[in-house]
Amino acid sequence: MQAFRSSSRKAFKSYYQPFTLPKIIARTYAMPNQSIPPLNDPSLFKQNVAYVNGEWAKAKSGKTFEVHDPSTGKLIGTCPEFDKADTDNAIATAAAAFPSFRQTTARQRARMLHKWYQLMMDNQEDLAKLITWENGKPLADAKGEVAYAAGFFEWFSEEAPRADGDTIPASIPGNRVFTIKEPVGVCGLITPWNFPAAMITRKIGPAIAAGCTVVAKSPGETPFTSLALAELADRAGIPKGVVNVISALSNTAEVGEALTSSQRVRKVSFTGSTGVGKLLMKQSADTLKKLSFELGGNAPFIVFDDADLDIAVAGAIASKFRSSGQTCICANRIYIQEGIYDKFASAFAEKVKGFKVGGGYDEGVTHGPLIHDRAITKVDAHVRDAERKGGKVIVGGNKMPKLGTNFFEPTVITGMNMNMQLASEETFGPVAGLFPFETEKEVVDMANSAEVGLAGYFFSRDLQRCYRVAEALETGMVGVNTGLISDPAAPFGGVKLSGFGREGSKYGMSEYQITKMVTLGGMGQPLQGS
């Protein structure tokens, strides 16, 4: 991760390593039942407004929606309920800003992004508190997310000046052919709640670097982090109308359709479920937009009997239980070769027993709540289904009502089989089901049986097997002897029903560009005077 400076590298590392947290005492502000962590800069907390044309704007209808702390259920605050008219106005603003912004030099855009990156790092603690408040993840994880999110601005600030075209040898004498990279135009960005900072910066970073303007729809569950980033965009000197951040909850479908159906929006990027991705793709068909979709996952995690057991256990812990299992690339189906199945299960279970579940600000907490009660219902259903079909819960397996309605014990289940719901459905929660397997072919076939193909992982010390299995897995990303694959420098995306397009890396920039070919004729004339 060469792009990271030492300060952000240290914080990024903490993204994957839970550590002891100081206990933070919540402070009560003006609204009833509303508790907010003490921010160094309270102006980063924006209520009842979205960010359009460089100004803080309310919904024209005056409607708002409530956002609640998933740990306590208490009210955090309210945000404007944008509708189609509000969204169309934001799109018009972005369209008006595009002609002048596209003319800025790559170096100018690079400096804007780098300043935005630095402002994020300068306000890392406050941004992390906001993430923990509305998302629930432990503060250590939230700090790591801020560094990871800021890393996309730093990475794309360095990529902006390197959007090179090509000179192509022509087949016709006298012709000269070259290509130039141009921004695609206004971009509609729709982001999820599980990484409130990183998912929006991973999309805005390359868009700005390419010279595009954006309308970003913040997640209804976690809008305040996005709005804080909009405030920092303003401080970074991003021109008015270039970055617009809007919000909606009940009107989410209406806002999405406004973005996909608008002639002015030339690109839509979406991270979310496969079902919603299919709908957005249909809605985009009439205007033939450029699309990039990062959709559902059901990641296989394979441990062969020649693997280093300690490394494999650590990798499974990191991959499965990060953010309480609420990531699209979490290990969902953990396949263990029969020769080491019992040893792995025992060592893995001991690690999980050491977790501490609680509110994200509390001392020593390693895992927070799930985002809402629907998530709890799905996780509990998967556990109960596995038990009915022969699975044995060896750690956890229950809701935690004493902590709150959104808490579930980190869970390990042995004796899994392919008839269980967890084998074919993404759990998106802290449940690890361990499936036994015998042969390499058998486990690759099981891994590839899913309709989705986002990420896959396997552990082995056999170099030939590493190449063989990595090439055989039908996923867009593969982690070999690691459970952690996220990196601004690495292309992120899937295959099959996990979507298409790539985010991050040098490939992420091209998703926001068009390649224009220019042919010059009559260029083969002899030198004058000869």
Side-chain angles (χ1 to χ4, degrees):
M1 195 171 303
Q2 59 190 20
F4 274 93
R5 303 192 189 280
S6 59
S7 61
S8 61
R9 188 183 297 115
K10 182 178 180 181
F12 179 73
K13 187 176 180 182
S14 73
Y15 187 37
Y16 303 115
Q17 295 182 355
F19 52 78
T20 301
L21 306 175
K23 189 169 185 179
I24 298 175
I25 306 300
R27 208 160 61 190
T28 301
Y29 279 54
M31 294 189 66
N33 301 318
Q34 180 192 41
S35 296
I36 180 174
L39 301 180
N40 297 316
D41 182 357
S43 67
L44 290 176
F45 178 59
K46 302 293 184 183
Q47 277 206 86
N48 299 320
V49 288
Y51 186 71
V52 179
N53 199 27
E55 306 290 340
W56 294 102
K58 297 185 177 183
K60 293 178 181 178
S61 67
K63 293 180 179 179
T64 61
F65 63 91
E66 295 184 348
V67 181
H68 294 87
D69 181 343
S71 290
T72 65
K74 290 183 178 180
L75 178 69
I76 293 175
T78 57
C79 281
E81 185 74 72
F82 268 38
D83 57 19
K84 183 181 186 302
D86 296 310
T87 304
D88 287 343
N89 178 60
I91 292 170
T93 293
F98 177 63
S100 60
F101 188 66
R102 71 176 299 173
Q103 298 302 322
T104 56
T105 67
R107 289 289 177 188
Q108 287 176 305
R109 299 193 295 272
R111 285 191 286 270
M112 292 176 197
L113 282 171
H114 196 272
K115 187 172 182 181
W116 201 356
Y117 153 78
Q118 192 59 58
L119 285 166
M120 285 189 68
M121 296 310 301
D122 292 344
N123 291 277
Q124 182 184 14
E125 183 177 349
D126 280 351
L127 292 173
K129 289 176 182 178
L130 288 174
I131 291 172
T132 294
W133 195 24
E134 62 182 356
N135 172 277
K137 67 180 63 176
L139 189 61
D141 285 355
K143 285 182 178 179
E145 183 188 338
V146 175
Y148 176 52
F152 286 105
F153 286 159
E154 186 176 38
W155 173 266
F156 285 108
S157 75
E158 296 164 347
E159 283 295 292
R162 295 173 176 80
D164 301 324
D166 295 301
T167 300
I168 302 170
S171 302
I172 301 173
N175 281 4
R176 300 294 182 265
V177 179
F178 64 92
T179 65
I180 55 178
K181 298 291 182 68
E182 294 184 342
V184 67
V186 177
C187 301
L189 313 177
I190 305 175
T191 62
W193 52 262
N194 56 341
F195 290 90
M199 295 300 95
I200 195 168
T201 62
R202 195 163 72 182
K203 297 179 189 298
I204 289 182
I208 298 302
C212 299
T213 58
V214 305
V215 177
K217 194 272 178 189
S218 62
E221 299 88 348
T222 58
F224 293 115
T225 302
S226 303
L227 295 171
L229 292 179
E231 168 65 22
L232 296 182
D234 190 66
R235 299 179 192 180
I238 307 294
K240 288 187 175 183
V242 172
V243 172
N244 304 277
V245 178
I246 64 176
S247 59
L249 184 62
S250 297
N251 292 340
T252 292
E254 181 178 337
V255 169
E257 187 171 8
L259 292 172
T260 53
S261 62
S262 172
Q263 291 280 359
R264 289 172 161 172
V265 175
R266 300 308 308 153
K267 153 83 180 186
V268 168
S269 176
F270 168 69
T271 298
S273 71
T274 297
V276 174
K278 289 179 178 181
L279 176 61
L280 294 175
M281 191 170 182
K282 289 177 182 178
Q283 293 174 350
S284 300
D286 285 346
T287 52
L288 291 178
K289 296 191 191 315
K290 187 168 181 146
L291 303 173
S292 55
F293 287 171
E294 189 255 289
L295 307 176
N298 187 354
F301 188 103
I302 304 167
V303 182
F304 291 101
D305 56 13
D306 63 350
D308 183 304
L309 190 65
D310 291 338
I311 292 176
V313 168
I317 291 290
S319 178
K320 173 67 259 182
F321 290 104
R322 184 162 56 97
S323 296
S324 297
Q326 298 177 111
T327 84
C328 54
I329 57 173
C330 271
N332 198 59
R333 300 166 289 154
I334 302 178
Y335 299 110
I336 313 299
Q337 201 156 18
E338 288 185 341
I340 60 167
Y341 186 92
D342 291 339
K343 286 185 179 179
F344 180 94
S346 176
F348 184 70
E350 284 303 309
K351 293 288 186 182
V352 176
K353 288 176 183 176
F355 293 164
K356 180 179 179 180
V357 180
Y361 299 119
D362 293 340
E363 184 176 355
V365 164
T366 58
H367 295 79
L370 273 65
I371 191 65
H372 45 50
D373 57 356
R374 298 188 304 280
I376 289 288
T377 298
K378 183 176 184 180
V379 167
D380 188 60
H382 278 196
V383 174
R384 305 285 81 83
D385 174 77
E387 285 185 314
R388 285 194 301 270
K389 295 173 181 176
K392 181 180 179 182
V393 175
I394 61 172
V395 179
N398 298 297
K399 300 175 185 178
M400 306 177 74
K402 290 184 179 180
L403 290 179
T405 58
N406 294 334
F407 289 88
F408 199 94
E409 293 176 331
T411 300
V412 181
I413 308 175
T414 58
M416 297 293 293
N417 62 65
M418 296 300 288
N419 294 320
M420 297 172 180
Q421 287 180 329
L422 197 147
S424 58
E425 298 178 14
E426 185 178 26
T427 304
F428 227 67
V431 178
L434 308 186
F435 296 76
F437 74 92
E438 294 183 9
T439 68
E440 184 180 297
K441 184 180 185 307
E442 175 194 9
V443 75
V444 169
D445 287 345
M446 288 192 293
N448 289 343
S449 66
E451 292 183 328
V452 293
L454 189 56
Y457 309 85
F458 69 91
F459 285 69
S460 172
R461 285 183 282 194
D462 182 328
L463 183 60
Q464 290 179 327
R465 170 178 276 165
C466 286
Y467 273 90
R468 191 166 59 239
V469 175
E471 292 174 2
L473 287 176
E474 295 174 355
T475 60
M477 300 173 286
V478 179
V480 184
N481 293 322
T482 180
L484 303 170
I485 58 176
S486 296
D487 184 336
F492 194 103
V495 297
K496 301 197 290 189
L497 294 188
S498 288
F500 44 82
R502 292 297 179 265
E503 294 188 315
S505 81
K506 64 179 183 179
Y507 301 104
M509 186 92 158
S510 64
E511 300 289 342
Y512 296 86
Q513 295 172 314
I514 60 172
T515 300
K516 177 179 283 184
M517 182 275 290
V518 179
T519 297
L520 299 177
M523 303 301 291
Q525 301 298 318
L527 293 173
Q528 294 182 4
S530 60

